[in-house]
């Protein structure tokens, strides 16, 4: 795999926080316009995914403290986190994704297999 071409901090961020390209695209969309808020429908129109899937990805990003959610006229709206560290890593990710698209996608979808193996091993019966 070409993971060695990805800066270590960026690779760690991706592996620790992003589980799909859809989630990556949402994070990058919000971080490109940090002063703007987006509804699920607006995000859905930008990345062309189902509203249900977008909502799931947004909920995960909020739980990881990477984006903010607030209520605006009875609608949840989402915005990039104002944290300078989050904005910086998102800018680095956007630059790297623009030039190394396939490397980032490969990293997202080729997580270390031992993570799932360790989880499944917890349910094995011991002799």
């Amino acid at each position: 795999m070409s993971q060695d071409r990805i800066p270590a901090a960026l690779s760690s961020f991706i592996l620790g926080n992003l589980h799909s390209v859809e989630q990556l695209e949402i994070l990058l969309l919000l971080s490109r316009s940090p002063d703007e808020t987006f509804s699920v429908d607006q995000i859905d129109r930008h990345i062309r995914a189902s509203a249900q899937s977008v909502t799931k990805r947004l909920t995960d990003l909020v739980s990881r403290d990477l984006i903010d959610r607030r209520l605006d006229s009875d609608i949840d709206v989402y915005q990039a986190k104002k944290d300078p560290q989050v904005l910086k890593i998102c800018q680095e990710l956007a630059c790297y994704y623009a030039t190394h698209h396939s490397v980032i996608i490969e990293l997202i979808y080729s997580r270390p297999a031992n993570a799932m193996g360790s989880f499944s091993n917890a349910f094995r019966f011991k002799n």
Side-chain angles (χ1 to χ4, degrees):
M1 175 162 127
S2 352
Q3 181 177 343
D4 56 323
R5 295 187 303 180
I6 300 173
L10 194 55
S11 179
S12 290
F13 177 80
I14 292 166
L15 289 171
N17 294 289
L18 302 175
H19 303 287
S20 69
V21 173
E22 183 179 65
Q23 195 173 32
L24 166 67
E25 295 283 346
I26 292 169
L27 182 62
L28 294 181
L29 171 67
L30 271 60
S31 67
R32 276 192 299 266
S33 305
D35 295 324
E36 230 177 294
T37 59
F38 294 85
S39 68
V40 170
D41 288 339
Q42 289 171 314
I43 294 168
D44 182 30
R45 281 194 298 277
H46 276 88
I47 65 165
R48 294 184 171 95
S50 73
Q52 181 181 8
S53 182
V54 167
T55 300
K56 180 180 175 185
R57 306 300 180 205
L58 287 165
T59 300
D60 187 60
L61 290 169
V62 168
S63 74
R64 293 173 185 283
D65 208 26
L66 296 174
I67 63 171
D68 289 323
R69 172 180 41 209
R70 67 180 170 82
L71 199 57
D72 185 13
S73 302
D74 294 331
I75 296 173
D76 279 334
V77 291
Y78 300 86
Q79 187 173 22
K81 199 76 166 158
K82 298 290 184 176
D83 180 317
Q85 288 180 311
V86 173
L87 289 173
K88 182 177 185 264
I89 196 81
C90 287
Q91 288 172 346
E92 290 172 13
L93 181 57
C95 288
Y96 205 83
Y97 187 57
T99 58
H100 296 79
H101 193 79
S102 60
V103 174
I104 298 291
I105 292 171
E106 182 181 347
L107 179 60
I108 289 172
Y109 289 115
S110 62
R111 296 192 179 291
N114 62 1
M116 188 53 112
S118 296
F119 178 74
S120 65
N121 286 341
F123 294 95
R124 290 194 179 171
F125 289 106
K126 308 267 187 218
N127 289 341

